[in-house]
Amino acid sequence: MARLVMKFGGTSVADLDRIRNVARHVKREVDAGHQVAVVVSAMAGVTNTLVGYTKEAAALHDAREYDAVVASGEQVTSGLLAIVLQDMGVEARSWQGWQIPIHTNEAHGAARIERIEGETVIERLERGQVAVVAGFQGLAPDNRIATLGRGGSDTSAVALAAAIHADRCDIYTDVDGVYTTDPRIVPKAQRLERVSFEEMLEMASLGAKVLQVRSVEMAMVHGVRTFVRSSFDDPEAPQAGNGDLPKGTLICDEDEIVEQEVVTGIAFSKDEAQISIRNVADKPGVASNVFVPLAEANINVDMIVQNISPDGKTTDITFTVPQTDYDRARAVLESKASEIGYQTLEGTTDVVKVSVIGMGMRSHAGVAADCFRGLAEKGINIRAITTSEIKISVLIDSAYTELAVRTLHSLYGLDG
Amino acid sequence: MARLVMKFGGTSVADLDRIRNVARHVKREVDAGHQVAVVVSAMAGVTNTLVGYTKEAAALHDAREYDAVVASGEQVTSGLLAIVLQDMGVEARSWQGWQIPIHTNEAHGAARIERIEGETVIERLERGQVAVVAGFQGLAPDNRIATLGRGGSDTSAVALAAAIHADRCDIYTDVDGVYTTDPRIVPKAQRLERVSFEEMLEMASLGAKVLQVRSVEMAMVHGVRTFVRSSFDDPEAPQAGNGDLPKGTLICDEDEIVEQEVVTGIAFSKDEAQISIRNVADKPGVASNVFVPLAEANINVDMIVQNISPDGKTTDITFTVPQTDYDRARAVLESKASEIGYQTLEGTTDVVKVSVIGMGMRSHAGVAADCFRGLAEKGINIRAITTSEIKISVLIDSAYTELAVRTLHSLYGLDG
């Protein structure tokens, strides 16, 4: 007997037939003797419709009212799934965020979960009742509904799993797990049986869109074993028993991963824009003159490269920003041209960030060197580099995206 | 300065343009210095879609889950109207039933409002904030959402008006008031300036579908002056000032009605079916043998006619039931044929109930006689008659509906 959280996204609950399919997945786990809490998103398209209404109502609108409108989508799905489960003979009830309650902070529209009162849900689970929880929402300190921001249902699921001390949080999605890279680019990409929280965090934040970044952070902080699997698998198919997991990817503590590969995956993000400031004075305060105005404009700067000045007088600074902020970032810097004192401002949105990720690289030398040599052999120019303990990222021309990803995937032995 | 509740139904909030029109009505009252609480229905069609989902999920379903699903429609409208009002510079916030709270009984799906904690809303109104309240719903004793049954937003509005001690409850609808009869049948039908609670109750329950019956009952019990007017009137048109009301119908205590007409209106209901049981023994217990089984089958019996038996041995009993229950009622009676001991069971759905309504008839003799003579002169046969203090109802062949209504409308001097 285990206690499970099962999370189903919008495409998995897009209509009543799909909701029935979800119910069969739930019934399978209940029949196996498990205690089950389900977290559901809004039916596919509903959230977009509701968001569209709020925009049509007013371009700038009260986030508390946005929350009241948009949170209704998950409310509907939770009620419908409870009805379908009951119809299948599974005892179930729906729970809205304010009923549990799931307490959030006051940041309406993009709230963070602060605390979940899990006691009542646990009591019901122990009585054999399935809890169907509306995802993506909670109760703010003003006693009004708060939503967690797009994709927040993943976070709802992981937070609930932590609060009710679940043995596992199963994220049912439209893919059957996390891959070594995007299979659309590298057909030989392999599904990972297990991946550590840290690695998944790098992959999620780099554009592997299987799981929301915040949900992975939360899973890591609370040690919630999170299992990604497909909602399109046959719900009645025989499942692996006794601790063996069905087809999917387990995101877990690195201690649970027996054979740690040096490199786990190759991620890439096309949402990058590069800005270079040439011939700025090489003196204290210059970097601050550049990046403080950007921070004040709420522009998130990612890679930053500043080389040792060859002549000790002027230098170049290169950095990346999200593509959506590119024009705004240039405008901010041009308005501060005299304070910064640069000669030219250049930039392009025609770049991609490719990253090599792996816990094993902490204890293996030469991983970065292999990457640079491999790309050089294919004639791919590296515009900028950043590294962390478990990640090497390079910024390259976007035309080379596929070539670079395939080259690195093969280089680190990830091809099947 | 007055405190107003303004209620808008589904067609009045069918899309964002209509919601903006509603907001202009609200702004007009706010600009006039009034404190305003608004009660909204779901956007036209939304409730039907949601109800359809619950039926598709399971033919028989948990009413608590139905409530969670269906109540989301009003939640959306309340948030959108608050956004639009704010965008017009009117301070506003949405209130869900569970936030006020509007306490209901435990009858999920058709709950009754038991108590509204109006204090917080009053406090906000006094600060100049418009309260936009989701209609049709409240919080049941189990801490879950309860809906009031179809058309319940009228009841929400009147109950809220009572709880916050509003001076008036304005029901904005798609007609500009209550008429002496259906203008589609009698083009000369007149809009009533004022009508008493008691008269309106008879009209509402007889099929004049302007207001939900329960809302009129509640208005009568709590003395809530209720004003029916059109939401399609120009919101910026000059309004009558100083206690004079704009175009519409005020439903109020009879003391407020200076010149009480003998007859106020002619109502009719096509939702009737007639059943006659012939040659039953004229002895104690027969009526009970007929009507107890019907009551147990939850069939609502309306008119009942039993004449004095001519021979003292057998008699006939005629009564009406709602058309939707006709087949079921016949089946119930046929299954009890031996206990009841009747000779034949006859019936028809081809009947209509026409009613003459007026407070004044309490003090005027001959109103009923006029009715019977008027119909007789047109060759209309009366199948059954029931009367109350302020109402005379006759059951006739439905083919004569229009003729009967026009004849009575003219007879009692209601033609313009």
Side-chain angles (χ1 to χ4, degrees):
Chain A
M1 203 280 296
R3 182 176 293 161
L4 301 179
V5 171
M6 304 171 74
K7 184 261 168 181
F8 296 89
T11 48
S12 304
V13 294
D15 55 38
L16 260 299
D17 279 341
R18 298 256 181 106
I19 292 175
R20 277 192 198 92
N21 190 59
V22 164
R24 282 191 283 269
H25 278 290
V26 175
K27 185 174 192 306
R28 180 194 63 232
E29 303 294 1
V30 171
D31 290 348
H34 300 315
Q35 295 178 3
V36 180
V38 192
V39 173
V40 287
S41 300
M43 296 161 87
V46 167
T47 302
N48 285 339
T49 302
L50 295 170
V51 170
Y53 283 154
T54 62
K55 286 186 181 157
E56 199 184 333
L60 283 171
H61 45 252
D62 188 338
R64 296 166 298 190
E65 303 303 348
Y66 167 96
D67 284 349
V69 172
V70 175
S72 67
E74 284 73 16
Q75 180 172 327
V76 169
T77 321
S78 66
L80 293 178
L81 179 56
I83 290 173
V84 170
L85 282 168
Q86 291 175 358
D87 194 45
M88 288 184 181
V90 177
E91 204 191 326
R93 77 153 273 191
S94 66
W95 293 89
Q96 309 311 315
W98 58 269
Q99 289 171 334
I100 294 182
I102 296 173
H103 296 286
T104 72
N105 66 4
E106 68 295 337
H108 282 278
R112 297 184 81 91
I113 295 175
E114 304 224 307
R115 191 168 53 88
I116 297 181
E117 295 183 33
E119 297 75 18
T120 316
V121 170
I122 289 175
E123 187 198 301
R124 299 296 186 93
L125 294 179
E126 285 173 347
R127 279 200 254 150
Q129 189 182 67
V130 171
V132 184
V133 178
F136 174 63
Q137 64 194 271
L139 186 68
D142 57 6
N143 199 37
R144 299 178 71 175
I145 300 169
T147 66
L148 309 181
R150 297 306 291 267
S153 290
D154 288 344
T155 310
S156 299
V158 173
L160 182 68
I164 66 172
H165 319 297
D167 297 285
R168 209 172 66 223
C169 180
D170 289 355
I171 307 282
Y172 286 76
T173 179
D174 48 4
V175 294
D176 64 358
V178 179
Y179 277 70
T180 49
T181 194
D182 187 339
R184 285 170 302 186
I185 288 184
V186 183
K188 288 179 181 168
Q190 302 294 304
R191 184 170 52 78
L192 294 161
E193 292 288 330
R194 294 178 184 225
V195 62
S196 70
F197 293 123
E198 292 82 355
E199 288 165 330
M200 188 62 205
L201 202 54
E202 295 289 359
M203 292 196 195
S205 60
L206 287 167
K209 298 196 172 82
V210 179
L211 271 182
Q212 225 222 348
V213 178
R214 273 164 55 197
S215 68
V216 183
E217 285 172 0
M218 191 168 283
M220 184 163 72
V221 169
H222 295 284
V224 176
R225 300 168 76 233
T226 304
F227 186 63
V228 175
R229 57 180 296 182
S230 171
S231 68
F232 300 113
D233 285 350
D234 176 10
E236 275 95 20
Q239 303 285 307
N242 274 342
D244 283 348
L245 290 165
K247 194 177 167 193
T249 299
L250 183 70
I251 305 158
C252 57
D253 194 273
E254 61 174 312
D255 296 347
E256 264 204 77
I257 302 173
V258 183
E259 293 192 36
Q260 182 70 60
E261 303 290 333
V262 177
V263 168
T264 308
I266 312 295
F268 59 92
S269 164
K270 294 186 167 174
D271 177 36
E272 304 287 326
Q274 177 199 324
I275 294 178
S276 295
I277 298 175
R278 301 224 180 269
N279 289 73
V280 288
D282 188 15
K283 61 179 185 187
V286 165
S288 146
N289 283 346
V290 172
F291 296 112
V292 168
L294 291 173
E296 283 171 357
N298 253 317
I299 295 170
N300 206 8
V301 173
D302 181 17
M303 306 172 91
I304 300 176
V305 180
Q306 183 186 346
N307 264 341
I308 301 295
S309 166
D311 56 2
K313 287 178 184 162
T314 64
T315 185
D316 302 338
I317 299 177
T318 293
F319 57 90
T320 60
V321 296
Q323 271 188 16
T324 45
D325 290 334
Y326 176 66
D327 291 337
R328 217 154 51 84
R330 287 195 65 135
V332 166
L333 294 172
E334 277 157 12
S335 74
K336 300 279 177 185
S338 58
E339 287 96 318
I340 303 170
Y342 57 81
Q343 196 174 345
T344 53
L345 180 70
E346 297 166 4
T348 175
T349 58
D350 220 12
V351 289
V352 66
K353 181 167 68 172
V354 177
S355 301
V356 177
I357 296 155
M359 295 291 275
M361 70 173 73
R362 288 177 303 188
S363 50
H364 279 76
V367 177
D370 287 346
C371 168
F372 306 148
R373 194 188 59 239
L375 295 178
E377 281 173 8
K378 300 288 180 182
I380 300 171
N381 185 40
I382 299 175
R383 290 163 165 263
I385 301 168
T386 53
T387 60
S388 77
E389 268 208 308
I390 66 164
K391 183 190 73 173
I392 303 152
S393 295
V394 296
L395 192 72
I396 61 171
D397 284 356
S398 61
Y400 293 94
T401 308
E402 292 77 9
L403 180 62
V405 171
R406 283 184 201 125
T407 299
L408 296 172
H409 197 265
S410 178
L411 180 76
Y412 291 110
L414 298 173
D415 293 348
Chain B
M1 204 280 295
R3 182 175 293 161
L4 301 178
V5 170
M6 303 171 76
K7 185 261 168 181
F8 295 89
T11 48
S12 305
V13 293
D15 55 38
L16 262 299
D17 279 342
R18 299 256 182 106
I19 292 175
R20 278 193 196 94
N21 191 58
V22 164
R24 283 190 283 268
H25 279 290
V26 174
K27 185 174 192 306
R28 180 194 65 233
E29 303 294 1
V30 171
D31 289 348
H34 301 315
Q35 294 178 3
V36 179
V38 191
V39 173
V40 288
S41 299
M43 295 162 87
V46 168
T47 302
N48 285 340
T49 302
L50 295 170
V51 170
Y53 283 153
T54 62
K55 285 185 181 157
E56 199 185 333
L60 284 171
H61 46 251
D62 187 339
R64 296 166 298 188
E65 303 302 347
Y66 168 96
D67 284 349
V69 172
V70 175
S72 66
E74 284 74 15
Q75 180 173 327
V76 169
T77 321
S78 67
L80 292 177
L81 179 56
I83 290 174
V84 169
L85 282 168
Q86 291 175 357
D87 194 46
M88 288 184 181
V90 177
E91 204 191 326
R93 77 153 272 191
S94 66
W95 292 88
Q96 309 311 315
W98 59 268
Q99 288 171 335
I100 293 182
I102 296 173
H103 296 286
T104 72
N105 65 5
E106 67 295 337
H108 282 277
R112 296 184 80 93
I113 294 174
E114 305 225 306
R115 190 169 54 89
I116 297 181
E117 296 184 33
E119 298 74 20
T120 316
V121 170
I122 290 175
E123 187 198 301
R124 299 296 185 93
L125 294 178
E126 285 174 345
R127 280 200 253 150
Q129 189 182 67
V130 171
V132 184
V133 178
F136 175 63
Q137 64 193 271
L139 186 67
D142 57 6
N143 200 38
R144 299 178 70 174
I145 299 169
T147 66
L148 309 181
R150 297 306 290 267
S153 290
D154 288 344
T155 310
S156 300
V158 172
L160 182 68
I164 66 172
H165 319 298
D167 297 285
R168 210 173 66 224
C169 179
D170 288 356
I171 307 282
Y172 285 76
T173 179
D174 48 3
V175 294
D176 64 357
V178 180
Y179 277 71
T180 50
T181 194
D182 186 339
R184 285 169 302 185
I185 289 184
V186 184
K188 288 178 179 167
Q190 302 294 303
R191 185 169 52 77
L192 295 161
E193 292 288 328
R194 294 178 183 224
V195 62
S196 71
F197 293 123
E198 291 82 355
E199 289 165 331
M200 188 63 206
L201 201 53
E202 295 289 359
M203 291 197 195
S205 60
L206 285 167
K209 297 196 172 82
V210 179
L211 271 182
Q212 225 222 348
V213 178
R214 273 164 56 199
S215 68
V216 183
E217 285 172 1
M218 190 168 283
M220 184 163 73
V221 169
H222 295 284
V224 175
R225 300 168 78 234
T226 303
F227 186 64
V228 175
R229 58 179 297 181
S230 171
S231 66
F232 300 114
D233 285 351
D234 176 9
E236 275 95 20
Q239 303 285 307
N242 275 342
D244 283 349
L245 289 166
K247 195 176 166 193
T249 299
L250 183 70
I251 305 158
C252 56
D253 194 90
E254 61 174 313
D255 296 347
E256 265 203 75
I257 302 172
V258 183
E259 292 193 36
Q260 183 67 61
E261 302 291 332
V262 177
V263 169
T264 309
I266 312 295
F268 59 93
S269 164
K270 294 185 167 174
D271 177 37
E272 304 286 326
Q274 177 198 324
I275 294 176
S276 294
I277 298 173
R278 301 224 180 270
N279 289 72
V280 286
D282 188 17
K283 61 178 184 189
V286 166
S288 146
N289 283 345
V290 172
F291 295 113
V292 168
L294 292 173
E296 283 170 357
N298 252 319
I299 295 170
N300 206 8
V301 174
D302 181 17
M303 307 171 91
I304 299 176
V305 181
Q306 183 186 346
N307 263 340
I308 301 295
S309 167
D311 57 2
K313 287 178 185 160
T314 64
T315 188
D316 302 338
I317 299 177
T318 293
F319 57 91
T320 61
V321 296
Q323 271 189 16
T324 45
D325 289 334
Y326 176 65
D327 291 337
R328 218 153 51 83
R330 287 195 66 135
V332 166
L333 294 171
E334 278 157 13
S335 73
K336 301 280 178 184
S338 59
E339 288 96 318
I340 303 170
Y342 57 81
Q343 197 173 346
T344 53
L345 179 70
E346 296 165 6
T348 175
T349 58
D350 220 12
V351 290
V352 66
K353 181 167 70 173
V354 177
S355 301
V356 178
I357 296 155
M359 295 291 276
M361 70 174 71
R362 288 177 302 188
S363 51
H364 279 76
V367 177
D370 288 345
C371 168
F372 306 148
R373 194 188 58 241
L375 294 178
E377 281 172 8
K378 300 289 180 182
I380 301 171
N381 185 42
I382 298 175
R383 290 162 165 264
I385 301 169
T386 52
T387 61
S388 77
E389 269 209 307
I390 66 164
K391 181 190 71 169
I392 302 150
S393 295
V394 296
L395 193 72
I396 61 172
D397 285 356
S398 61
Y400 293 95
T401 308
E402 290 78 8
L403 181 62
V405 171
R406 282 183 201 127
T407 300
L408 296 172
H409 197 265
S410 178
L411 179 76
Y412 291 110
L414 298 173
D415 292 347

